[in-house]
Amino acid sequence: MATKVKSIDSNHLLEVGLEGFYGDSMPDRKKFNPGGLMFGTDFISNNQISGIDFATIHTYPDQCGGGSGCGALFWQWLADGMDQFRDGYEVVISKSPSTALIISSASHKLVGLDH
């Protein structure tokens, strides 16, 4: 389907639009699914489809109970030169040094977590 959509309109980014979990592409990680669910759409394999440009995630603080994934979310992280994709909710690191510092600090803290 992604290939067909891109053949009609290659000027827009395409994403799967499904909520996902660890699935059959990473069975050893299924134990980390919220609530221990062992089923659901396979986030990893769905987002590796040719023609898919980016993935989105949903965070549920009540499900992760304050774990490292809570609040670790960017709505739109854009690079310089991607002005045509701006809608007012973007984060452009080169134009937001204070945000870059927060991301760097939080990332260094997350590296030490074993999950």
Side-chain angles (χ1 to χ4, degrees):
M1 178 63 94
T3 303
K4 179 64 175 174
V5 171
K6 286 291 192 169
S7 75
I8 297 168
D9 181 359
S10 63
N11 292 321
H12 288 87
L13 297 174
L14 186 63
E15 64 112 5
V16 175
L18 294 174
E19 201 169 325
F21 303 93
Y22 286 113
D24 293 336
S25 67
M26 300 187 82
D28 57 318
R29 306 282 299 174
K30 285 183 178 182
K31 63 186 172 197
F32 298 119
N33 284 343
L37 294 173
M38 300 303 274
F39 59 88
T41 60
D42 191 326
F43 181 82
I44 303 296
S45 64
N46 284 336
N47 285 287
Q48 290 178 334
I49 295 170
S50 178
I52 299 300
D53 299 302
F54 67 99
T56 57
I57 61 167
H58 301 168
T59 57
Y60 300 96
D62 59 325
Q63 293 292 322
C64 60
S68 63
C70 292
L73 174 66
F74 275 98
W75 204 237
Q76 295 180 34
W77 190 338
L78 302 179
D80 285 322
M82 297 180 71
D83 293 338
Q84 69 270 28
F85 300 110
R86 288 178 165 218
D87 65 0
Y89 296 101
E90 69 279 343
V91 174
V92 181
I93 295 300
S94 66
K95 295 182 175 153
S96 306
S98 61
T99 303
L101 184 62
I102 292 168
I103 294 166
S104 176
S105 175
S107 295
H108 283 94
K109 290 175 185 175
L110 289 173
V111 166
L113 297 177
D114 182 24
H115 187 13

